[in-house]
Amino acid sequence: MTLYILIGCLAFFIGGLATWVMVGIMGKGRYKRIIEDAKAEAEVLKKDQLLEVKEKYLSLKSEHEKRVTERNTALQQKESAFQQKESSLKQKELTLNHLQEDVLRKKNETDAIRENLDNQLKLIDSKKAELEKLHRQELEKLETISGLSAEQAKEKLIEVVKEEAKADAVSYINEIMEEAKMTANKEAKKIVVQSIQRVATEAAVENSVTVFHIESDEMKGRIIGREGRNIRALEAATGVEIVVDDTPEAIVLSAFDPVRREIARLALHQLVTDGRIHPARIEEVVAKVRKQIEEEIVEIGKRTSIDLGVHGLHPELIRLIGKMKYRSSYGQNLLQHARETANLCAVMAAELGLNPKKARRAGLLHDIGKVPDDAPEIPHALLGMQLAEKYKERPDICNAIGAHHDEVEMETLLAPIVQVCDAISGARPGARREIVEAYIKRLNDLEKLALSYPGVLKTYAIQAGRELRVIVGADKIDDKETETLSYEIAKKIQDEMTYPGQVKITVIRETRAVSYAK
């Protein structure tokens, strides 16, 4: 403001100076008018400057008052916050004081309880010492009376308790097993019987020879050829032994491989029909028939999978399925067995609320390990599982294939279904035949296994090995031990032997009194 006043004065001074100069130049006549004009202009300028200064002053004053107001408001807010914090701190201080008082009170209570417990523990220790003293005195009296030390008496007591517990446990296990069989057998038999009734197939037994019929015995000479060259060429091309004997109008083809026998039969049929029989023609016909059989195998596999509703199989698995037609197991046709097992699995899975399509697939593939082109020295169930895994079958299908003879652990309910249906198909009357030597050896092994137990006098395997009767001495084994013996024999047979179906173990203990009248 002072600056503006100085500027106004300076302007007034300059105006006066200018007026004076002008007076000297222009003359005295115009002096007054010039002075008056300068004064008027100075007044106007002064008023303008004063107005501008006042406006600046008022603006600065209002801005300053606004800042002061804002600063006072902020100070009031901070003061209010400080007051709230101070109130909160006072409240916390009061709470802390109360907590300290509670902690001090509880500490005093704890000290009192601890002191009480210490007194009670001392009392208990003194009572315990008195009881131990009385116990030792009683033990000394018992040892004096019985003539046995405490350790000896304890060992005898433990032995008696163990024997009683073992007998009771075996009896309890047998009761539980019988009860479980009574409740489970009814439903299981119902499902099995329904499955068997709904899947009825014929039982056919094959052997290792094929009889080829001819119209007349004159054809035998042509088949043999000059110096036997035709029959040698035919045997070399097919790998089948051809037996030409005195049997009228018949030639016997002998080979363990049914595919070779079928190739030989068809080739021989074409040669006899055509009439041209010589080594070159034989090789040509055998090669043609072998190709025809390979195509027929694939076609049989496709038709079988379509008939059973099993889709999405790898082409190699389809070929192996077709090859089953020319394989047999214990005389039973393998393809027929696989189809029957697949249908049984589907029916049984449906009865149990499982997926019948998966069950049918697993039943069809369960014996593919018996028909590969190469035969490694591993069980057919494991080989079948490896083939199924190789050709991207589902894990539960692979497990069911590998576990149907217990080579691997069963992981799903599909595995026991395949195992049971495989046994049902193989156990049909006339479905399979067992080698006599293997059958006799299994019965002898059953009897020898039971005879290895102490107290066993005689053993008899009856009902084709489905029941084992064990006769024990009455003076060597009591009634409770017979239950234990039957359980142990059954467990050992289950762990060490392979047998169809189940074996019933009957332990017989009898006391005989013999006297003679003379």
Side-chain angles (χ1 to χ4, degrees):
M1 184 177 172
T2 306
L3 180 62
Y4 288 117
I5 295 171
L6 291 175
I7 292 171
C9 294
L10 182 60
F12 182 76
F13 175 74
I14 292 171
L17 183 61
T19 302
W20 181 76
V21 172
M22 291 297 295
V23 169
I25 296 174
M26 298 176 63
K28 196 173 183 180
R30 299 170 58 187
Y31 174 73
K32 287 184 180 182
R33 193 180 63 221
I34 293 171
I35 289 174
E36 289 176 358
D37 291 339
K39 284 181 179 181
E41 289 177 3
E43 286 294 330
V44 171
L45 182 62
K46 180 179 177 181
K47 287 179 181 181
D48 291 339
Q49 292 296 327
L50 287 173
L51 288 173
E52 186 178 354
V53 169
K54 285 182 181 180
E55 287 177 359
K56 292 284 184 181
Y57 172 74
L58 291 174
S59 175
L60 290 172
K61 182 179 179 182
S62 63
E63 185 178 353
H64 176 70
E65 288 177 352
K66 183 178 179 182
R67 289 179 181 177
V68 170
T69 303
E70 289 177 355
R71 189 176 298 173
N72 290 335
T73 302
L75 288 174
Q76 288 177 358
Q77 290 176 353
K78 289 182 179 180
E79 184 178 0
S80 176
F82 286 146
Q83 288 177 355
Q84 290 178 357
K85 288 183 179 180
E86 185 179 4
S87 176
S88 176
L89 289 173
K90 287 182 179 180
Q91 185 66 30
K92 289 180 179 179
E93 185 179 2
L94 290 174
T95 304
L96 183 61
N97 292 333
H98 289 310
L99 289 174
Q100 288 178 349
E101 292 175 358
D102 291 340
V103 169
L104 184 61
R105 186 177 66 257
K106 289 181 179 179
K107 183 179 178 182
N108 295 332
E109 292 176 356
T110 305
D111 292 339
I113 292 170
R114 187 181 289 112
E115 185 178 357
N116 188 16
L117 288 174
D118 291 338
N119 295 331
Q120 290 181 3
L121 287 173
K122 289 178 182 178
L123 183 61
I124 290 170
D125 290 337
S126 63
K127 294 290 184 182
K128 185 177 178 181
E130 292 178 5
L131 285 174
E132 288 178 353
K133 184 177 179 182
L134 291 172
H135 181 64
R136 283 196 300 271
Q137 292 176 357
E138 292 296 328
L139 283 177
E140 290 174 359
K141 289 180 181 179
L142 288 173
E143 289 176 0
T144 303
I145 294 170
S146 63
L148 295 173
S149 66
E151 291 298 327
Q152 292 173 344
K154 187 185 297 182
E155 290 176 0
K156 286 195 173 185
L157 180 61
I158 290 173
E159 289 179 3
V160 172
V161 172
K162 281 174 65 178
E163 291 298 326
E164 291 180 356
K166 187 176 180 181
D168 292 341
V170 171
S171 177
Y172 184 62
I173 289 171
N174 288 335
E175 289 177 3
I176 291 175
M177 290 177 66
E178 290 299 326
E179 184 179 355
K181 287 178 182 178
M182 289 177 64
T183 55
N185 277 346
K186 185 176 181 181
E187 289 298 323
K189 286 179 181 177
K190 180 180 176 182
I191 293 174
V192 171
V193 170
Q194 286 180 352
S195 301
I196 293 174
Q197 288 175 345
R198 292 169 63 181
V199 182
T201 59
E202 61 180 8
V205 177
E206 297 181 356
N207 48 34
S208 60
V209 297
T210 299
V211 178
F212 180 75
H213 296 280
I214 55 178
E215 294 181 356
S216 65
D217 290 341
E218 295 179 1
M219 187 60 67
K220 292 183 180 179
R222 298 186 61 188
I223 293 172
I224 294 172
R226 182 179 298 177
E227 298 178 356
R229 62 177 186 174
N230 289 346
I231 195 170
R232 283 199 302 272
L234 192 57
E235 288 179 344
T238 59
V240 174
E241 182 183 1
I242 301 174
V243 181
V244 182
D245 54 14
D246 296 336
T247 305
E249 298 180 356
I251 295 174
V252 177
L253 309 178
S254 176
F256 72 94
D257 190 345
V259 177
R260 294 181 187 175
R261 292 206 311 272
E262 184 66 12
I263 292 173
R265 186 187 69 81
L266 293 175
L268 198 56
H269 175 73
Q270 290 189 17
L271 289 168
V272 170
T273 303
D274 184 51
R276 294 178 293 170
I277 305 176
H278 53 82
R281 176 66 176 165
I282 287 170
E283 292 179 358
E284 178 185 349
V285 170
V286 169
K288 183 178 179 181
V289 170
R290 183 175 286 111
K291 183 178 179 182
Q292 178 183 343
I293 289 294
E294 288 294 331
E295 293 175 354
E296 184 180 352
I297 285 172
V298 175
E299 184 62 27
I300 290 169
K302 289 180 179 179
R303 189 164 57 249
T304 301
S305 62
I306 291 171
D307 290 345
L308 294 175
V310 178
H311 305 291
L313 288 171
H314 191 276
E316 183 63 23
L317 291 179
I318 292 176
R319 190 181 73 84
L320 292 176
I321 291 170
K323 202 172 179 182
M324 286 182 182
K325 180 182 177 182
Y326 302 101
R327 289 289 186 274
S328 61
S329 177
Y330 293 99
Q332 184 182 24
N333 182 267
L334 199 57
L335 180 59
Q336 182 178 339
H337 167 64
R339 291 174 67 104
E340 185 177 12
T341 303
N343 288 325
L344 285 168
C345 287
V347 173
M348 196 170 290
E351 292 289 337
L352 295 173
L354 302 176
N355 189 339
K357 290 185 178 180
K358 278 188 179 181
R360 186 181 286 111
R361 192 184 193 96
L364 177 62
L365 298 176
H366 81 282
D367 269 346
I368 57 170
K370 291 184 177 180
V371 290
D373 297 326
D374 53 344
E377 295 297 326
I378 61 174
H380 75 273
L382 294 179
L383 181 56
M385 182 178 70
Q386 292 176 4
L387 289 171
E389 290 174 347
K390 179 180 178 182
Y391 298 119
K392 310 301 181 185
E393 287 295 317
R394 293 173 64 89
D396 50 354
I397 303 290
C398 298
N399 177 255
I401 295 171
H404 80 275
H405 284 313
D406 294 323
E407 271 86 8
V408 297
E409 186 178 354
M410 296 183 181
E411 297 176 355
T412 64
L413 285 176
L414 203 60
I417 289 176
V418 173
Q419 186 181 57
V420 169
C421 294
D422 175 48
I424 290 172
S425 176
R428 286 185 182 276
R432 291 187 175 185
R433 62 185 182 186
E434 192 173 9
I435 299 173
V436 177
E437 290 81 0
Y439 168 72
I440 294 174
K441 182 178 183 301
R442 180 166 60 83
L443 298 188
N444 287 332
D445 290 343
L446 271 176
E447 294 181 350
K448 288 179 182 179
L449 186 145
L451 275 173
S452 64
Y453 284 87
V456 177
L457 301 180
K458 296 178 182 179
T459 56
Y460 299 103
I462 62 176
Q463 295 185 6
R466 299 300 175 92
E467 182 177 353
L468 179 64
R469 291 188 178 177
V470 182
I471 299 175
V472 298
D475 56 338
K476 296 180 180 179
I477 295 178
D478 58 20
D479 289 338
K480 287 187 176 180
E481 290 175 343
T482 57
E483 294 183 355
T484 305
L485 180 63
S486 65
Y487 177 77
E488 290 178 354
I489 293 174
K491 189 73 169 59
K492 192 170 183 179
I493 291 173
Q494 184 176 337
D495 293 341
E496 297 182 4
M497 295 189 66
T498 302
Y499 51 90
Q502 64 181 10
V503 180
K504 178 182 178 182
I505 292 86
T506 305
V507 179
I508 301 172
R509 176 180 179 271
E510 60 181 2
T511 303
R512 295 186 181 184
V514 181
S515 59
Y516 298 93
K518 295 181 181 179

